[in-house]
Amino acid sequence: MGVALSVVIPTKDAEEMLAPCLASLVAQQFRGFEVLVMDGGSTDTTLAVAESFRGELPALRVLSEDDGGIYEAMNRGLALACGRFVMFLGSDDAIHGPTVFHELFAGRYRRLVQRKDVVYGDVKIVPDCYTLHQQFSYKGLAKRNLCHQSIVYRTAALRSVGGFEVMYRALADWLANVRLFCTPSVRFAHVPLLVCRFRMGGFHVHYAEPPAFYTERDTVLREFLRWDRLAKL
């Protein structure tokens, strides 16, 4: 049957956070997925933590090399992914429950997922413990990004728009979503399923300070308008 899903996890000195993330993958009832830990040259025990899960996650690959940041790691994972679909988790995030992958790839949403290119669900924000319902409109994506931890992308579709632009430090995933949304052949769908627990904090919150965040945001919005015009030609 092949690999349905590749789960890419960028890491860098994540020894205290990675185990719960990987444990949430071990708990999945559906087993047709692989895990790619794309490490950026950790100097702590992150690699040992990842390797300790090899017996429980047979389709686990752990690769470590210095890189240019989170989006370069995500691109490396995208290039190596064997799954028909791919998703990206932070090392401090977790899949919400043991049936999530089953629901998407073998259960009630299976037929929908197979017909679409980008499928996204809802997220629980921790530690605040509120649920972010993400049913987006076309205009909505121009105002706020989808939480990429809740998205499964058709691997070929994400590769077709070039993956993630590494010139961006915090918003390359937003730009990728804009490019996908503005491509007429790409089919989006929302499922009312709590996909992941997303932990506030870490790199993105640290970086999301003016002026850098707003500079990237303005660039993404210009790209949105440009891709929107191209889509209408």
Side-chain angles (χ1 to χ4, degrees), residues 115-175:
R115 294 196 305 267
K116 303 298 181 180
D117 301 297
V118 181
V119 178
Y120 61 99
D122 301 326
V123 296
K124 175 162 282 189
I125 307 297
V126 294
D128 297 339
C129 291
Y130 69 90
T131 300
L132 181 61
H133 299 286
Q134 295 199 110
Q135 191 157 5
F136 262 57
S137 65
Y138 184 76
K139 292 182 180 179
L141 189 59
K143 298 177 181 178
R144 181 168 62 86
N145 191 21
L146 294 165
C147 180
H148 72 253
Q149 289 87 343
S150 72
I151 303 173
V152 293
Y153 299 93
R154 189 174 296 275
T155 306
L158 185 54
R159 287 172 176 166
S160 75
V161 297
F164 304 98
E165 292 279 4
V166 297
M167 63 176 285
Y168 293 87
R169 294 287 310 281
L171 299 179
D173 52 317
W174 193 2
L175 178 59

Side-chain angles (χ1 to χ4, degrees), residues 53-131:
F53 281 83
R54 191 169 294 282
E56 297 173 287
L57 292 169
L60 171 67
R61 286 185 276 171
V62 181
L63 300 97
S64 182
E65 62 181 63
D66 289 336
D67 57 39
I70 186 171
Y71 292 120
E72 187 171 312
M74 290 165 71
N75 280 337
R76 286 196 293 133
L78 176 63
L80 293 170
C82 295
R84 297 188 302 279
F85 290 83
V86 61
M87 76 181 304
F88 301 88
L89 288 179
S91 58
D92 55 350
D93 302 320
I95 299 301
H96 184 260
T99 64
V100 169
F101 288 175
H102 175 83
E103 295 278 21
L104 291 172
F105 295 101
R108 57 179 164 164
Y109 301 118
R110 176 179 63 86
R111 293 184 183 276
L112 174 67
V113 169
Q114 296 307 316
R115 294 196 305 267
K116 303 298 181 180
D117 301 297
V118 181
V119 178
Y120 61 99
D122 301 326
V123 296
K124 175 162 282 189
I125 307 297
V126 294
D128 297 339
C129 291
Y130 69 90
T131 300

Side-chain angles (χ1 to χ4, degrees), residues 10-14 16-17 70-71 89-93 125-128 148-149 169-170 198-209 213:
T11 60
K12 181 69 180 287
D13 295 332
E16 297 181 359
M17 303 175 288
I70 186 171
Y71 292 120
L89 288 179
S91 58
D92 55 350
D93 302 320
I125 307 297
V126 294
D128 297 339
H148 72 253
Q149 289 87 343
R169 294 287 310 281
F198 169 62
R199 181 168 295 279
M200 293 293 290
F203 171 79
H204 281 80
V205 169
H206 173 75
Y207 185 69
E209 299 288 343
F213 173 84

